[in-house]
């Protein structure tokens, strides 16, 4: 088990760790939506896709000083107080409940301090590990979206989950303050 895992903001110094995670699991291309050939492309991804904005917050999952994953809150809709949650971990960080605990921490922040009321997420129905993360982090299943995702020629059903309350039963990761909510 990692000594002191936590969630924190991403920094440019994390580019090598982001590239290493991607290189260790090329299927992260589906999660990231792009291919990261080198550390320079990872640095660019940090500046664009993982930079905080009014519609997005991204948290690095930090294990012993190294970024090993991401918990994202995106598609933030202030009018309806809703957002979409996503998550991924490098293969080396899996199996320690970091994803569940990280999602619980980010969701708690969003529902308590981030001004949101409802969080949603979805996972392919053929990904039971991702379903366990959602359930452990307090997200309840709401339904199946048939053939929602397409990777290559294959289509995948997605199970949607949502969370309205800020406190799940799992022990959330400590969260380095991301600062005030971007409105």
């Amino acid at each position: 088990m990692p000594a002191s895992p936590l969630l924190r903001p991403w920094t440019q110094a994390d580019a090598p760790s982001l590239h290493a995670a991607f290189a260790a699991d090329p299927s992260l291309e589906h999660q990231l939506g792009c291919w990261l050939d080198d550390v320079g492309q990872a640095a660019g991804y940090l500046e664009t896709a993982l930079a905080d904005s009014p519609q997005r917050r991204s948290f690095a999952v930090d294990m012993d000083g190294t970024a090993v994953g991401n918990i994202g809150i995106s598609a933030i809709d202030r009018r309806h107080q809703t957002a979409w949650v996503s998550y991924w971990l490098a293969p080396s960080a899996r199996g320690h409940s970091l994803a569940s605990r990280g999602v619980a921490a980010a969701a708690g922040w969003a529902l308590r301090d981030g001004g949101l009321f409802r969080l949603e997420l979805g996972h392919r129905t053929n990904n039971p590990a991702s379903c366990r993360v959602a359930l452990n982090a307090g997200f309840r299943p709401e339904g199946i979206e048939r053939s929602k995702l397409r990777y290559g020629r294959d289509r995948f059903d997605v199970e949607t989950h949502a969370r309205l309350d800020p406190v799940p039963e799992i022990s959330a990761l400590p969260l380095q303050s991301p600062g005030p909510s971007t409105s």
Side-chain angles (χ1 to χ4, degrees), residues 112-126:
R112 197 177 38 256
D113 303 323
L116 299 176
F117 177 80
R118 177 185 169 86
L119 299 175
E120 301 172 352
L121 63 80
H123 63 83
R124 293 185 324 268
T125 56
N126 68 343

Side-chain angles (χ1 to χ4, degrees), residues 140-155:
R140 295 183 183 162
E142 292 198 332
I144 304 293
E145 297 176 273
R146 296 176 297 131
S147 298
K148 181 176 184 175
L149 300 178
R150 187 180 96 180
Y151 298 129
R153 293 177 177 229
D154 297 324
R155 296 211 67 95

